[in-house]
Amino acid sequence: MKEKLVVIVGPTAVGKTKTSVELAKAINGEIISGDSMQVYRGLDIGTAKITEDEMEGIPHYMIDIKDPSEPFSVAEFQEKAKELISMINNKGKIPIIVGGTGLYIRSVTHHYEFSEANKNNKIRDNLQKKAESEGPDALHSELMSIDPVRAADIHPNNVHRVIRALEIYYETGSIPSKEQKNMQDKEESTYNLALVGLTMEREKLYQRINARVDLMIKSGVIEEAEWLLQQDITNSLAAKAIGYKELFPYLTGEISLEESIELLKRNSRRYAKRQFTWFNNQMDVQWFSMDESSFQKKFIEIRHFVEGKLDISENV
């Protein structure tokens, strides 16, 4: 029998944390963070990390397991998450992965592999030169114009992965995300999987994101960014996280605080859009709109979906 697994995905600020805790209480679950930045100790406010009070006694995993100077890869997340899923199932509980980092979650629920195109050093060298002369954003924009779904999955600063995606396209003529989608259509999850997606009307979501950023500023995210800047690890994955990198130019005197805040809000909104695009195109998600009724009414729908999908109603 396949192990049971619930996954809750969706854009930032849509309400995944509250929903996951309520669901864990309802179905005897434990929560695994699927956020690639919440693994870092000391980065609490900027990553919207769940507080101990918000956990309401529900065990949470994959939070505060790394120092900001340490790397954290998809492969490492996949290995640790699979171990936790088995451990939680063996306790007779239901594991619930919660997060917005699509590639990390996909690596656990399915086999995530792109077909390997023959490597073309000439194409790669030309793309590398373009990245060096025009900057990583120019290269990412090129990928966005060719394959917006794949581009949504890759941070603009991850030049290596952007180059690899473009190399596949220019070498084979095939669009990486479509090739991956064709493979996924034939692929079943290795788990008895209930995949819940939370969505929200775009303008309302953007208002929530802006309000969250304002609260982050009041709660001390500038101090967190200053501490991170002092670690002298500007090339680390943690230092490139949305919520911190936008504040560095303010802390170094390059732009005003108001400009940094607006940049943070803009990048957060864009990230939310990329998250939705990725999940909508890459995974078979059952979507629930969080702006159509009261939370309790919507939560009952989500709970019934999960119970039916995993056949666990007799356990609650």
Side-chain angles (χ1 to χ4, degrees), residues 240-282:
K240 294 174 181 176
I242 295 174
Y244 299 106
K245 65 184 179 65
E246 293 83 3
L247 295 171
F248 293 159
Y250 160 67
L251 293 171
T252 55
E254 299 170 51
I255 62 176
S256 68
L257 176 58
E258 290 74 19
E259 289 173 308
S260 273
I261 292 172
E262 285 307 309
L263 185 61
L264 176 50
K265 289 179 178 179
R266 187 200 71 182
N267 286 352
S268 296
R269 294 192 300 266
R270 288 181 176 178
Y271 179 56
K273 185 178 180 180
R274 292 200 304 271
Q275 285 175 302
F276 182 77
T277 299
W278 197 96
F279 287 119
N280 205 34
N281 285 278
Q282 294 288 319

Side-chain angles (χ1 to χ4, degrees), residues 10 15 31 61 68 143 155 159 166 216 218 220 247 287 295 299:
I31 294 173
Y61 305 94
L143 179 60
H155 192 283
V159 175
L166 287 169
M216 286 164 53
K218 292 179 182 177
L247 295 171
W287 292 100
F295 173 82
F299 173 73

Side-chain angles (χ1 to χ4, degrees), residues 30 36 92 96 111 137 255 282 300 307 315:
E30 297 188 351
S36 61
I96 305 172
H111 298 292
D137 286 340
I255 62 176
Q282 294 288 319
I300 290 171
E307 290 175 344
N315 296 329

Side-chain angles (χ1 to χ4, degrees), residues 62 72-86 104 107-108 191:
M62 299 294 279
F72 187 64
S73 67
V74 176
E76 185 175 359
F77 175 82
Q78 181 187 56
E79 179 183 2
K80 292 180 182 295
K82 284 180 175 290
E83 290 174 357
L84 288 166
I85 291 167
S86 294
Y104 282 60
S107 75
V108 173
Y191 295 101

Side-chain angles (χ1 to χ4, degrees), residues 84-100:
L84 288 166
I85 291 167
S86 294
M87 182 268 289
I88 295 168
N89 268 280
N90 289 337
K91 293 197 294 183
K93 294 178 177 288
I94 306 296
I96 305 172
I97 296 182
V98 184

